[in-house]
Amino acid sequence: MNEDKPIYILPENTQRTLGKDAQRNNIMAAKIVADVVKSTLGPKGMDKMLVDSTGETIVTNDGVTILEEMEIEHPAAKMMVDIAKTQEQEVGDGTTTAALLAGKLLEEAEELLEKKIHATVITKGYRLAAEEALKVLEEVASPVEDQETLRQLAMTAMTGKGAEGQKEHLAGLLVQAVHQVAEGKKVEIGDVKIEKVKGERVEESSLVQGMVLDKERAHGDMPEKIEGAKILLTDVALELKQPEQEAKLSITSPDELQRFIEHEEKSLKDLTDRIIGSGANVVLCQKGIDDVAQYYLAKAGLFACRRVPKSDLEKVARATGGKIVSHLQDVREENFGAAEMVEEVKQGEEGMTFIRGCQNPRAVTLLLRGGTGHVVDEIERAMQDALGDVVAAVRSGRVVAGGGAVEMSVSRRLRAFAKTLGGREQLAVEGFALALESIPEALAENAGMDPIDVLAELRQRQEMGEARAGVNLFTEKVEDTLAAGIVEPLKVKTQAVSSAAEVAQMILRIDDVLISRGGGGGVGSSGAIGGGMPPGMMGMD
Ligand code: ADP
Ligand code: MG
């Protein structure tokens, strides 16, 4: 055997980074991601303008939107994007906080690594710190007093966003909407439907009793209004199958094709006849409705919309007591939704379908308006965040003081907790405590205040027992932020802490990165994230 011959265990073009290099690269990527969103945190945060490869522009302040649109390629950086997404799914708000916290946790870890503290010790310390932080959060949270707390919560979420100018009006609508759909503490974000209309002023936004669909009726000859609506909800396509798209067909002669088309046309006619005969007077179809089918339906005086998104169909089903029909034999009255009226209303250039007087009185739609597409889009993002907060607070009934107050008090308690630990984990817990201070620090910095002064005062006031001392950016003072109406749901913070801690631990545990070229973006490729890797080490001697 030839001893000198290298043994290749990996494909030749695999890029490999090991040990400290891998760790350093991953931490750097995560820090860069955190840095990108940092300047958007809080009411005085700046916006980002994102232009995608097709030239489409988005102006936003929303952490998760920024990260999603950045088309990040670095694997560790992608994990950061994922925490923002998880935060978005679980709560709807706090995405910037979660990403910033994770970045800071890794920054603190980097320093500890440099002091020769092993990654395993750091991850253990972070795990202990996160557990303790969650306990403290539960402890310091306050109950939701009344509707006013919810309104403040919604306004806090909207402060500094596109919706700021009309936040009182919008927060009022939102709280009313949630109040209407909630059954006690049972409520979900999806229960409140939000629709956007561009071309009018933000203050014209309103709460509509019933469902609003961003859809016109399929055919101009259909009636604009149906009273005593019996609504067929279906995900069956009311159109011919496109032979060229159906790969399973094997047609050998023109005759056969002709027969096939005739057969299809007949079954389409049967389908529409069946619908018309069933007594339904409104059809909401998830798929397309063929011209011919539209014509038949219009002739029979039905109102129909096509390509209604599935999520909308589900909401209408809930609101009207109908069922979504997937088979022809289920086109029966008992599956129809009921509403007093279905009507198309012109909103600017486009028509929207309003379903009023739904069987379920909890059905509401927030109709958001704004001068341009960019404006309504950013308002919608702010409203979605606020909606997530209000829903989270209604469900748990618990809120915390904003403006970095709760982060400061958790940080202080973690420092005390660290002292109770014997080993080197202590240092990691202290690092966690420091990372939490990055929230008030960034809030102050983004508002042009001196972050060092603010942190010093915060520490001191908290030390004196003012657990709700935070930075109030309305007054630019350190004070009881809960009393000042700067309120956030507990869930935003527990979720941010646990997912940031999780991703930091996950990234720290990695000591080997293997990337096969061609399998998606490489670490060293010139993606949005800098800090490339040294050339991979291929094979081993
Ligand atoms: P995220 O994506 O994390 O929700 P935001 O940009 O919405 O980021 O900022 C949320 C932070 O802004 C929270 O820490 C909240 O307490 C803080 N905040 C909101 N309004 C104020 C205010 N008036 N004064 C100080 N802090 C505020
Ligand atoms: Mg927010």
Side-chain angles (χ1 to χ4, degrees):
M1 255 226 278
N2 184 352
E3 293 277 319
D4 296 337
K5 205 173 168 201
I7 306 166
Y8 292 101
I9 61 163
L10 295 167
E12 201 177 347
N13 54 359
T14 299
Q15 190 182 329
R16 180 164 194 208
T17 320
L18 264 170
K20 288 218 179 64
D21 284 337
Q23 246 162 11
R24 213 174 297 138
N25 271 305
N26 286 336
I27 290 175
M28 168 143 32
K31 270 167 48 184
I32 293 171
V33 172
D35 248 16
V36 170
V37 292
K38 184 180 167 193
S39 68
T40 71
L41 183 78
K44 303 288 169 75
M46 303 297 276
D47 295 348
K48 303 262 169 199
M49 181 186 261
L50 303 153
V51 185
D52 72 11
S53 47
T54 66
E56 187 82 28
T57 315
I58 300 183
V59 175
T60 186
N61 175 290
D62 188 41
V64 69
T65 308
I66 295 165
L67 295 178
E68 276 179 344
E69 295 292 326
M70 272 171 51
E71 296 177 16
I72 284 170
E73 289 192 340
H74 190 289
K78 273 189 179 161
M79 292 166 87
M80 297 279 288
V81 179
D82 285 343
I83 43 170
K85 283 191 192 158
T86 311
Q87 182 82 19
E88 175 83 356
Q89 277 160 13
E90 295 290 319
V91 201
D93 196 9
T95 54
T96 313
T97 303
L100 183 55
L101 201 54
K104 285 289 163 184
L105 285 173
L106 287 162
E107 195 174 315
E108 295 300 328
E110 197 178 27
E111 286 189 17
L112 296 172
L113 287 169
E114 264 160 35
K115 289 183 192 149
K116 302 272 181 290
I117 295 175
H118 198 269
T120 316
V121 177
I122 305 173
T123 52
K124 183 172 173 216
Y126 277 5
R127 187 169 50 76
L128 292 172
E131 278 168 15
E132 183 68 15
L134 293 179
K135 258 190 254 163
V136 176
L137 279 171
E138 295 285 344
E139 220 176 278
V140 300
S142 328
V144 173
E145 301 282 355
D146 47 24
Q147 296 272 77
E148 183 52 25
T149 312
L150 298 179
R151 246 170 50 84
Q152 289 173 343
L153 207 68
M155 288 203 284
T156 301
M158 283 187 251
T159 310
K161 313 269 170 190
E164 162 114 48
Q166 289 298 318
K167 67 178 177 182
E168 305 220 347
H169 175 53
L170 294 173
L173 296 179
L174 197 62
V175 172
Q176 198 187 329
V178 173
H179 179 67
Q180 198 173 330
V181 298
E183 298 176 57
K185 290 191 164 188
K186 230 183 103 210
V187 59
E188 282 181 46
I189 293 174
D191 293 347
V192 176
K193 186 162 167 24
I194 296 185
E195 277 299 339
K196 300 177 280 189
V197 188
K198 64 175 178 211
E200 263 172 277
R201 293 183 328 181
V202 182
E203 49 266 51
E204 315 283 338
S205 300
S206 61
L207 194 61
V208 177
Q209 299 299 321
M211 291 278 124
V212 180
L213 306 178
D214 188 11
K215 286 283 158 198
E216 296 181 323
R217 61 204 204 284
H219 194 284
D221 288 345
M222 289 176 175
E224 274 173 41
K225 184 160 144 186
I226 298 271
E227 304 210 26
K230 293 184 205 160
I231 308 165
L232 167 66
L233 303 157
T234 181
D235 55 12
V236 177
L238 302 182
E239 59 192 350
L240 300 179
K241 287 198 193 85
Q242 297 293 320
E244 68 273 17
Q245 285 170 12
E246 294 284 321
K248 280 183 209 128
L249 270 183
S250 62
I251 287 170
T252 47
S253 70
D255 276 1
E256 218 174 310
L257 180 63
Q258 187 57 34
R259 271 202 304 281
F260 170 77
I261 291 172
E262 274 166 16
H263 174 259
E264 283 291 298
E265 268 168 355
K266 182 166 180 310
S267 51
L268 189 62
K269 178 81 171 67
D270 287 349
L271 189 58
T272 43
D273 282 348
R274 176 130 193 174
I275 292 170
I276 292 162
S278 71
N281 49 19
V282 175
V283 179
L284 300 180
C285 181
Q286 191 188 324
K287 308 273 169 54
I289 304 179
D290 189 89
D291 289 353
V292 181
Q294 284 173 24
Y295 169 78
Y296 289 136
L297 293 173
K299 213 168 98 183
L302 273 72
F303 182 112
C305 295
R306 58 185 167 160
R307 307 222 177 276
V308 179
K310 184 161 198 262
S311 56
D312 278 1
L313 272 192
E314 284 165 356
K315 286 197 180 101
V316 176
R318 229 178 306 144
T320 61
K323 288 204 185 76
I324 299 172
V325 166
S326 307
H327 298 287
L328 197 54
Q329 64 267 28
D330 294 330
V331 179
R332 286 191 311 253
E333 178 125 22
E334 70 207 65
N335 293 327
F336 298 161
E340 277 163 26
M341 192 204 290
V342 170
E343 120 181 85
E344 185 186 294
V345 179
K346 279 267 173 282
Q347 301 285 342
E349 311 247 293
E350 291 158 48
M352 290 181 121
T353 296
F354 282 60
I355 306 171
R356 298 183 208 267
C358 295
Q359 205 187 56
N360 178 354
R362 295 184 201 283
V364 287
T365 306
L366 256 172
L367 207 55
L368 299 180
R369 298 172 191 271
T372 70
H374 287 302
V375 171
V376 256
D377 286 350
E378 185 65 349
I379 285 182
E380 189 198 14
R381 283 189 283 269
M383 283 295 262
Q384 285 289 359
D385 288 0
L387 174 61
D389 287 337
V390 173
V391 165
V394 167
R395 286 167 75 150
S396 80
R398 321 271 294 156
V399 292
V400 295
V406 76
E407 286 86 354
M408 273 322 267
S409 50
V410 175
S411 170
R412 200 174 76 81
R413 295 276 298 269
L414 282 184
R415 274 209 194 88
F417 172 66
K419 297 206 177 77
T420 68
L421 300 172
R424 292 183 150 202
E425 293 88 43
Q426 195 185 77
L427 298 173
V429 175
E430 276 167 4
F432 203 110
L434 265 178
L436 281 165
E437 291 186 345
S438 67
I439 303 298
E441 188 184 7
L443 288 171
E445 194 177 322
N446 291 344
M449 295 170 77
D450 185 336
I452 297 174
D453 289 349
V454 170
L455 277 188
E457 187 175 353
L458 272 174
R459 284 199 197 111
Q460 187 221 354
R461 300 272 289 268
Q462 292 257 347
E463 208 57 51
M464 309 272 285
E466 289 182 55
R468 289 173 194 153
V471 47
N472 179 347
L473 294 179
F474 293 130
T475 58
E476 304 214 336
K477 287 204 177 79
V478 169
E479 55 192 30
D480 182 332
T481 47
L482 195 69
I486 303 166
V487 193
E488 293 181 89
L490 170 63
K491 175 85 183 167
V492 168
K493 302 300 176 187
T494 53
Q495 184 66 44
V497 163
S498 49
S499 44
E502 241 167 62
V503 81
Q505 291 173 64
M506 209 187 283
I507 289 177
L508 283 172
R509 270 197 290 265
I510 300 168
D511 76 339
D512 198 350
V513 177
L514 301 154
I515 296 172
S516 33
R517 296 240 179 81
V523 175
S525 70
S526 58
I529 295 301
M533 268 184 170
M537 304 192 293
M538 285 174 280
M540 284 178 288
D541 289 2

